[in-house]
Amino acid sequence: RLTMEVLSGAANVSVTSYLDGNVTNEDSNYEEQFWLEKAVKADADDSYLTMETKENPFGTPRFSVTTLMKNYFSVVDKDSKENISLTGEKSQSMKYAGETVQVQVKSGDIFSAEKRVAVINTRNVPEERHVDEARKVLADLEKYIFYG
């Protein structure tokens, strides 16, 4: 969670929360990438990225990983104390799903961005159930979150 308060004046705030599958493993040679995109989606409810390890000559088992995120953006108005939810602009491209929110925040207002992520892999769940299972994980998380 990222929270910021404007102390004086006003601020144009722009925050991008994203999933990036353009990964190079630390132990790889020549910055080789071992991950192939299987699916990417950024829509109104959430965003996810499913990646699979590529074939290899070493007999290392292949597996898929789905990472699903849900973002919550808001501003608490200093004067009214109202918590105003914001909707970001979704984007997706090869190995990337993101959401950007842009807002002007006035002095004393508090901006908040929260990113919740679930990670599911084929070692535990078949790939065709990844997205549904990740959504269940995030839904279950709701009962443990306390805002005091």
Side-chain angles (χ1 to χ4, degrees):
R1 174 186 280 195
L2 167 73
T3 303
M4 64 181 83
E5 179 178 357
V6 176
L7 299 178
S8 66
N12 290 317
V13 177
S14 179
V15 174
T16 301
S17 175
Y18 61 90
L19 302 171
D20 185 355
N22 193 18
V23 176
T24 302
N25 293 3
E26 285 185 23
D27 61 347
S28 68
N29 294 324
Y30 312 108
E31 305 213 5
E32 184 179 9
Q33 294 192 347
F34 296 101
W35 295 94
L36 304 172
E37 179 187 297
K38 295 283 299 264
V40 62
K41 184 75 171 174
D43 61 25
D45 296 324
D46 51 41
S47 300
Y48 64 87
L49 182 60
T50 300
M51 304 292 290
E52 180 181 44
T53 52
K54 70 179 193 176
E55 289 190 46
N56 63 80
F58 309 110
T60 304
R62 296 179 73 189
F63 63 96
S64 297
V65 174
T66 296
T67 306
L68 182 137
M69 75 173 173
K70 190 165 182 74
N71 296 301
Y72 299 89
F73 302 108
S74 65
V75 172
V76 175
D77 183 275
K78 172 188 166 193
D79 301 322
S80 70
K81 305 296 185 217
E82 181 182 4
N83 189 357
I84 304 161
S85 292
L86 306 170
T87 302
E89 182 178 327
K90 302 282 186 130
S91 60
Q92 70 183 57
S93 59
M94 182 73 129
K95 298 183 180 182
Y96 177 93
E99 182 174 9
T100 300
V101 68
Q102 296 180 334
V103 62
Q104 184 167 30
V105 183
K106 67 183 188 302
S107 180
D109 288 357
I110 299 172
F111 171 82
S112 181
E114 183 174 339
K115 177 180 183 175
R116 298 180 190 169
V117 176
V119 180
I120 308 291
N121 68 60
T122 50
R123 293 180 178 175
N124 303 313
V125 177
E127 186 178 312
E128 61 273 7
R129 291 189 16 228
H130 279 191
V131 173
D132 289 338
E133 290 299 317
R135 286 179 176 145
K136 286 180 191 174
V137 167
L138 292 186
D140 287 347
L141 178 67
E142 288 294 324
K143 52 187 159 182
Y144 299 105
I145 295 176
F146 172 74
Y147 298 101

